[in-house]
Amino acid sequence: MGTREAAMGGDEGTVTSADIARMAGVGRAAVSNWRRRYEDFPLPVGGTATSPTFSLAAVESWLLGQGKVAALPVEERVWQQIRTAADDIMLGEVVAEAAELLRGRARPALVPRPAVRLLRGYAAERSADTAVRFLLDRYADVNSRRLARTPPEVAAFMAELAGPDVRSVLDPACGIGTLPAAMAGVDRAYGQEVDGALARLARARLALAGLDAEVRAGDSLRQDAWPGLAVDAVVCHPPFNDRNWGYEELAGEPRWEYGLPPKSEPELAWVQHALTHLRPGGVAVLLMPAIAASRRSGRRIRGNLLRRGAVQAVIGLPPKAASGTGLPVHLWVLRRPTGEGRPASCVLMAEAEPAGFAAAGERWRAFRADPDRPLDHPGEARTVPIIDLIDEDVDLTPARYVGAPGGVPGSTYPAARAQFAGHLDRLPALLPDVRAGASHELPVVPLSELERTGALLVLHSGRYEIDGTGEPVLTGPEVLAGAPPAARTGPAGRIEIQPGDVVVAGRDREMAAVVAREAGTLLGPRLTLLRADPERLDPYFLAGFVRGLPAAAGGTQSGVTRFDARRAQVPRLPLDEQRRYGRAFAALFAFEAALREAHAAGRATAASLALGLADGSLTPPQA
C-alpha cells in the first residue's frame, strides 16, 4: 500500500500543516509546496479544504522516506502524541497532566501510554525541567491566537516597574503564569485563573521559575480566591473589553473604593481589585488598553484615583505590545495609599518602545525616588501635576503630555546643535569605498547546502517565555532596531551567542542581521542564529547578503517573523572574495549605527529648537 493510500486508514493521530512544518523545521509555505510538487505526499484525512489534517504515521513515513528529516526529534514525537490525544478544548488538560507527570504530581489518565514513555525518555535525556518547558512553550505556540499572552520583553519591564524589593506578588488573571514567573527573587507568588487547565499550566511554569507559588482556579472578580490577601506587588494583564465581568451581581462590592466601574469599563474593575490586594505602599502594574485612559465613562474613577494618589505612572507602549489586539496599550503603575504623609503631587507620563525600556526604567526609578522633582525628557517622559490632569476629561493618555520626541530644553540647544553637527561630520568617512560595476548575477548556494557540508550551523531558538532572570537575551525588536539587549532570562536550555555568530530577525518585508562581537548573550525567542566556520564563510558577508532576502510570511504578535534558513540562498564565492564583501558590509553596518545615532541627535536638536522658540528661551536672529 502506497503512502497516499496508507494515509486514508484508521483512527490514528492527525497533524496539521503547521504541525508538519514544526516536525520538519521548515515554514508552512514549504509544506504547501511539498503538497503541490510530490504526488506521494499523504492525502488529507480530515479537517477542511483550507485547514486539512493528515495522518501522523503517514507524514512521519513520508518525511523520513524523502530525507526531509534524518530522524524525527523525540520532542516532536512527544508533542504529536499529546496533540492527538484531545481536541483543542481539552488540549490544555492533557498538557497540564503531562507537565504534572514529569513533576511527579499525577498519574496517567489523559496522556496516552506511548506519549508517557516518550515523555519520560525525553526527560531522562534532557531533564524534566527541559521537557516541561518544551510542553509549555509549544502549547503557548499552537494556541497563540487564543491566549492573551504578554510578550516576554513587556513582562520583564512590568517586573522591573514593580520594584526590586518585592517579596510577595499576586496575578489575579495569570494565564499560563508569564507575569509572576518574571518576578525574580520573590518569596511567595499567588495566582488565579478562570480556566482550570491554564491554572495548572501556570503552576508548572512558576515551579520552573523556582518560585514558591500557589495558583487557584476561578473568576477573580466574581469569586476572589484570595480574600484578605495583601501583597507587595500585583502584576496583571486583565481581559480587555469583557462586558460580562459581573457588573450586575457585583454592584455592592466593597472593592469599588474609587467608584462603581461602569459596565463598559471592566479594566477599571481590575484596577480596583488589584489595589484591594496591595499592602499600604504596595505597587500594582497592569497592562491596559489605551482607551481606558480616556473613555468618558471612566473619568470619575480616574479622577478619584488621581486625587488619592493611587496613580503613579502611565506608560504608552506601541501597537501589538499585547496579544489579541493591534491597538496601542498602556502600562498603569499604581500604589496603594498609605494614609500617611502628603500624596505625590505628580504623575509620570512616558512613552516607550521595547528597545527603550531600559531608559524608561531609569525615568521611573528617578520619579519613584523623588516624585515631586520635575522631570522632562520630551518624547520620552514627563512629570505632570495631578491638578493639571483633573479636568473635564481626566485623560491619562501619555502622548498628550510627553511632548516632541527626543527634545531637550531650549537652553541646551547650542550644545545639542554642536553634537548633531559632530555626528554629521563623521558619517561620510564611515561609508565604504565601493566602485560602480556592471550588473550581473552571482552564482548562489542554499544555506541548507552550506549546513549539510558543515560550513554553517543553523540554530533556531523557538518560542519561549523570557523570565527576567539570568543572562542578557537579545530579542527580535532589538535586532531590528540595532539596540543592545534589554531583558534577561534563565540560561537553561537556551542558545548562547558566540562572537562571529549572525543573528537574524524579520518583520513584514524587512530583514535584519547582526554579527555578534562578544559572548554572554542568549538568543531570544523565534530568532535564527547562523554560526559560520570562519575558514569557509565570512560572517559579515553572510549577514550582509541575508539581510537582503525577503522576510518569511507569518508575523507574530510582537511583529517578528521567523527566518526560513533552509529556503535562503547566498552567493557562492571563494573565501577571499567573501571577505572583500564582508569588509564592505561591516563598514555599512557601522555607518547605519552612526546614522541611527545622528537621527536621534537630529530629532533632539529640532525638538530643542522648537521648545526654545516657543518658551522664549531662544530667539531668531534680527532681519
Side-chain angles (χ1 to χ4, degrees):
M1 183 180 293
T3 302
R4 285 192 167 236
E5 288 77 8
M8 300 300 294
D11 297 325
E12 58 202 3
T14 59
V15 289
T16 65
S17 294
D19 293 326
I20 298 170
R22 293 188 190 95
M23 292 164 65
V26 300
R28 292 181 64 177
V31 178
S32 298
N33 188 42
W34 292 344
R35 292 183 64 194
R36 291 192 300 269
R37 288 180 55 197
Y38 296 97
E39 293 185 359
D40 64 340
F41 191 89
L43 288 171
V45 296
T48 65
T50 56
S51 183
T53 58
F54 306 85
S55 160
L56 171 59
V59 167
E60 288 182 355
S61 176
W62 188 88
L63 289 173
L64 293 168
Q66 289 287 336
K68 300 300 183 185
V69 293
L72 197 65
V74 63
E75 61 266 32
E76 292 299 338
R77 295 185 64 85
V78 167
W79 177 254
Q80 297 311 329
Q81 288 284 350
I82 289 174
R83 181 69 182 85
T84 57
D87 58 19
D88 288 345
I89 295 175
M90 287 295 295
L91 181 60
E93 297 286 349
V94 179
V95 175
E97 180 183 287
E100 290 163 359
L101 283 170
L102 290 166
R103 297 171 59 216
R105 304 287 181 85
R107 292 185 175 182
L110 300 174
V111 181
R113 291 288 178 180
V116 174
R117 290 193 295 271
L118 285 169
L119 193 60
R120 286 174 174 162
Y122 179 45
E125 178 185 329
R126 298 289 298 277
S127 82
D129 282 357
T130 299
V132 171
R133 186 175 291 109
F134 167 76
L135 291 174
L136 296 175
D137 290 346
R138 180 55 60 87
Y139 177 78
D141 193 6
V142 301
N143 287 277
S144 58
R145 294 185 180 181
R146 299 173 59 190
L147 294 175
R149 301 180 66 207
T150 311
E153 60 271 20
V154 176
F157 185 44
M158 292 174 68
E160 181 182 0
L161 295 173
D165 52 353
V166 173
R167 292 293 171 263
S168 57
V169 63
L170 166 69
D171 184 346
C174 67
I176 58 174
T178 301
L179 287 177
M183 299 289 294
V186 299
D187 296 330
R188 182 68 169 159
Y190 305 87
Q192 185 166 354
E193 169 54 44
V194 67
D195 186 310
L198 296 186
R200 294 168 66 188
L201 293 172
R203 293 185 197 112
R205 183 170 292 284
L206 296 180
L208 277 179
L211 297 179
D212 179 10
E214 185 175 355
V215 180
R216 296 176 180 173
D219 184 326
S220 288
L221 294 184
R222 289 185 172 90
Q223 297 175 322
D224 186 1
W226 303 103
L229 175 68
V231 294
D232 295 332
V234 173
V235 289
C236 187
H237 176 175
F240 290 178
N241 303 314
D242 178 15
R243 298 302 177 93
N244 186 33
W245 60 269
Y247 172 76
E248 290 80 5
E249 61 260 50
L250 297 175
E253 273 285 318
R255 283 177 291 182
W256 313 145
E257 184 178 350
Y258 300 89
L260 173 64
K263 188 173 184 178
S264 61
E265 295 280 358
E267 296 84 12
L268 293 181
W270 286 98
V271 163
Q272 296 189 74
H273 179 78
L275 287 167
T276 299
H277 280 293
L278 289 174
R279 64 166 177 77
V283 174
V285 185
L286 282 82
L287 188 64
M288 302 278 282
I291 192 65
S294 58
R295 273 189 298 230
R296 290 188 62 80
S297 55
R299 64 188 187 277
R300 183 172 68 88
I301 293 177
R302 294 195 298 272
N304 289 338
L305 290 166
L306 288 167
R307 292 184 185 93
R308 295 278 300 277
V311 180
Q312 295 278 285
V314 182
I315 302 174
L317 303 182
K320 295 187 178 181
S323 66
T325 175
L327 300 176
V329 292
H330 294 161
L331 289 176
W332 286 28
V333 186
L334 305 118
R335 179 176 179 268
R336 183 170 180 79
T338 63
E340 300 177 358
R342 181 176 61 87
S345 61
C346 293
V347 170
L348 178 68
M349 292 290 179
E351 291 276 344
E353 297 272 351
F357 283 169
E362 291 179 7
R363 312 295 186 224
W364 162 245
R365 287 188 290 275
F367 171 80
R368 197 173 185 185
D370 187 358
D372 293 321
R373 175 172 167 264
L375 184 153
D376 191 2
H377 298 270
E380 296 180 15
R382 181 187 171 208
T383 51
V384 181
I386 290 175
I387 192 66
D388 292 347
L389 297 170
I390 304 177
D391 54 15
E392 183 180 354
D393 297 320
V394 196
D395 192 339
L396 302 184
T397 304
R400 291 191 58 181
Y401 306 100
V402 297
V408 293
S411 59
T412 62
Y413 169 70
R417 184 177 184 276
Q419 184 183 43
F420 176 56
H423 282 291
L424 292 181
D425 287 343
R426 62 189 288 258
L427 282 174
L430 293 174
L431 278 170
D433 183 15
V434 296
R435 302 186 303 272
S439 178
H440 65 286
E441 290 188 6
L442 296 171
V444 295
V445 57
L447 294 190
S448 58
E449 175 68 13
L450 294 173
E451 184 181 24
R452 188 185 66 79
T453 59
L456 181 68
L457 178 63
V458 180
L459 300 172
H460 297 291
S461 58
R463 180 175 289 172
Y464 67 86
E465 299 290 343
I466 291 177
D467 60 23
T469 66
E471 306 300 324
V473 55
L474 183 65
T475 66
E478 291 157 355
V479 174
L480 290 158
R488 291 180 175 270
T489 197
R494 304 300 169 220
I495 299 169
E496 182 175 344
I497 300 172
Q498 299 178 6
D501 285 346
V502 178
V503 180
V504 186
R507 178 178 56 202
D508 298 327
R509 298 184 179 181
E510 173 190 4
M511 290 298 298
V514 297
V515 179
R517 294 192 171 190
E518 54 188 37
T521 300
L522 303 177
L523 188 68
R526 292 186 63 85
L527 293 183
T528 299
L529 184 147
L530 307 177
R531 182 167 293 160
D533 177 351
E535 298 303 317
R536 300 171 66 182
L537 274 176
D538 181 85
Y540 283 99
F541 159 83
L542 186 62
F545 279 101
V546 161
R547 61 174 280 175
L549 297 170
T556 67
Q557 292 297 339
S558 65
V560 176
T561 61
R562 176 171 172 174
F563 170 61
D564 189 352
R566 290 171 177 80
R567 299 176 60 195
Q569 298 176 327
V570 297
R572 186 192 296 272
L573 295 176
L575 185 58
D576 288 345
E577 279 292 282
Q578 292 180 33
R579 288 172 175 164
R580 191 163 65 91
Y581 276 94
R583 288 190 291 271
F585 279 123
L588 173 60
F589 294 158
F591 172 76
E592 289 177 326
L595 194 61
R596 284 190 292 268
E597 295 177 2
H599 178 257
R603 296 186 71 185
T605 304
S608 173
L609 176 58
L611 289 171
L613 291 172
D615 65 17
S617 59
L618 297 174
T619 59
Q622 296 292 331

